[in-house]
Amino acid sequence: MGDVIAMDEKRRRLRARRAFCLWERRFHCLFDEHTSIRDLPDAVLAVLIQPGEQYTRLLQSLVLRILSGESDVDLEKLSPAQKILTIDVTLFLVDQIRFECMRRLGWVEPDPRVDTPIVDLVDQAAQGNMTTMHATPAILASHPLYAEYQKTFVGDQAAFVRKLIPRAIEEFVRRNKS
């Protein structure tokens, strides 16, 4: 039984190494199978939270490599179902990274999912119910818009938080340029 566990751990480590190789070159940091979103430096998050295809591709290539276990995977060569899954998981990861930035700004409550290693988070998102995976953290009582958030219909509170994302990106990037 120990051999099976050791082999699974070895495969997981290899998948992480293949997945993070582009990030290591891009960010000049080391990442491994234990790296969680909370472990990512502010400078890395400041890049990954930005809107735009080039930033989304950084996450998408990571997701593709984790899911496939391969170093060189082309999204266009995947089946439609695999493409949709990759895009869904990438969007989930974008959300988690942006919510972590909002947490670091002191805007939202912490989300325990950001402590899960990214490799496992991607696997869980790929296998899980995406509806529950897209839960949105609540705004902290110390946030200037908390009273307005509290008055918002519970079903609309997630949208209220998401509307703050552009402002959070701007603030987080600004703080990390200084």
Side-chain angles (χ1 to χ4, degrees):
M1 184 67 159
D3 291 340
V4 172
I5 293 170
M7 288 297 288
D8 285 345
E9 192 57 36
K10 197 173 192 174
R11 266 190 230 106
R12 186 171 171 270
R13 190 175 318 118
L14 181 60
R15 282 177 47 217
R17 202 172 345 182
R18 286 179 178 158
F20 284 118
C21 70
L22 292 176
W23 279 27
E24 288 176 351
R25 280 185 281 188
R26 170 75 161 81
F27 298 116
H28 308 288
C29 298
L30 294 177
F31 306 100
D32 63 23
E33 71 275 16
H34 303 292
T35 301
S36 68
I37 291 173
R38 191 173 314 270
D39 297 330
L40 298 175
D42 285 353
V44 172
L45 289 179
V47 170
L48 296 175
I49 62 171
Q50 299 200 36
E53 189 175 330
Q54 82 181 73
Y55 305 109
T56 304
R57 284 190 188 264
L58 284 169
L59 287 165
Q60 191 174 70
S61 68
L62 179 79
V63 169
L64 274 168
R65 289 166 180 245
I66 290 172
L67 293 177
S68 72
E70 301 295 323
S71 301
D72 192 24
V73 186
D74 183 5
L75 181 68
E76 297 308 315
K77 293 183 180 173
L78 298 178
S79 71
Q82 290 171 316
K83 284 181 189 178
I84 290 169
L85 177 64
T86 301
I87 292 167
D88 283 348
V89 174
T90 300
L91 293 174
F92 164 73
L93 211 53
V94 168
D95 277 350
Q96 297 313 302
I97 288 168
R98 289 177 175 174
F99 295 149
E100 172 60 10
C101 291
M102 293 172 85
R103 184 200 63 80
R104 291 184 190 186
L105 289 170
W107 292 14
V108 297
E109 292 179 2
D111 186 331
R113 293 178 289 191
V114 296
D115 292 320
T116 303
I118 294 171
V119 173
D120 298 336
L121 199 58
V122 167
D123 286 339
Q124 290 168 14
Q127 296 168 5
N129 178 347
M130 294 309 282
T131 305
T132 59
M133 298 302 289
H134 286 294
T136 305
I139 290 180
L140 290 173
S142 59
H143 192 279
L145 296 175
Y146 181 73
E148 189 178 334
Y149 172 77
Q150 284 296 101
K151 292 176 189 173
T152 304
F153 174 69
V154 174
D156 294 334
Q157 287 179 338
F160 187 97
V161 172
R162 288 179 183 281
K163 285 180 185 174
L164 296 176
I165 289 174
R167 198 175 323 162
I169 291 170
E170 186 178 295
E171 177 69 16
F172 194 82
V173 170
R174 187 186 60 74
R175 283 188 187 183
N176 284 286
K177 282 187 178 177
S178 335

